[in-house]
Amino acid sequence: MTNPDTLGYAGEISPKDAWERLASDPAAKIIDVRTQAEWSFVGVPDLSPVGKQVLLVSWQVFPTMARNDAFAAQVEAHGVKKDDTLLLLCRSGVRSRAAAELLTQLGYTAAWNITDGFEGPHDQAKHRGLTAGWKASGLPWAQG
């Protein structure tokens, strides 16, 4: 985990550290900010081993990928509290970083970006999900 003073959010957290936080912190939640298409076709974290469910709130709307203007309201509609530990997840860590920054600006005190996201960067063959991220870390996930 990193928490440099220059970040506009709580910090960066690895997928494995995020999993451990979910297991140990009753107020920890994952907000998956990818699109409906990604959740359906790529998969989502399976939090059943820790007795939780992933919150699905798109940062951008597929297929236009315009920013979801209702993002903050949708997070709030899930019952998320300002002092909950929020672990933001996207494909590779870019959208989730932007979401963590916004939530922090709105007064959420512990919005973390999960490094490398669900699938991580491309490998040498231009494939994702094999070198870094939630899936490559061997953490539980399910595909629709």
Side-chain angles (χ1 to χ4, degrees):
M1 290 184 287
T2 61
N3 188 8
D5 292 333
T6 58
L7 294 177
Y9 51 97
E12 301 284 316
I13 188 169
S14 73
K16 286 190 177 192
D17 286 342
W19 178 257
E20 290 173 16
R21 180 76 58 93
L22 284 165
S24 65
D25 179 352
K29 296 168 175 47
I30 282 190
I31 302 175
D32 188 328
V33 304
R34 296 174 299 148
T35 64
Q36 176 68 50
E38 290 170 295
W39 302 326
S40 297
F41 298 112
V42 179
V44 294
D46 176 8
L47 306 184
S48 61
V50 293
K52 296 182 179 184
Q53 291 186 330
V54 65
L55 305 179
L56 305 174
V57 184
S58 292
W59 176 250
Q60 294 173 304
V61 181
F62 183 82
T64 64
M65 299 310 278
R67 174 136 168 255
N68 176 9
D69 291 332
F71 178 80
Q74 291 169 351
V75 167
E76 189 175 331
H78 278 287
V80 175
K81 297 181 183 109
K82 298 278 184 171
D83 61 348
D84 285 343
T85 300
L86 306 179
L87 306 165
L88 288 292
L89 179 75
C90 68
R91 180 191 65 202
S92 57
V94 176
R95 287 173 282 175
S96 52
R97 181 180 308 117
E101 290 172 347
L102 174 72
L103 291 174
T104 300
Q105 291 169 8
L106 295 175
Y108 291 86
T109 59
W112 293 82
N113 180 42
I114 299 176
T115 57
D116 295 315
F118 190 69
E119 296 183 272
H122 286 114
D123 64 12
Q124 291 181 356
K126 302 280 188 204
H127 298 152
R128 292 186 188 271
L130 302 173
T131 60
W134 190 273
K135 289 169 68 174
S137 295
L139 297 169
W141 62 283
Q143 198 165 17

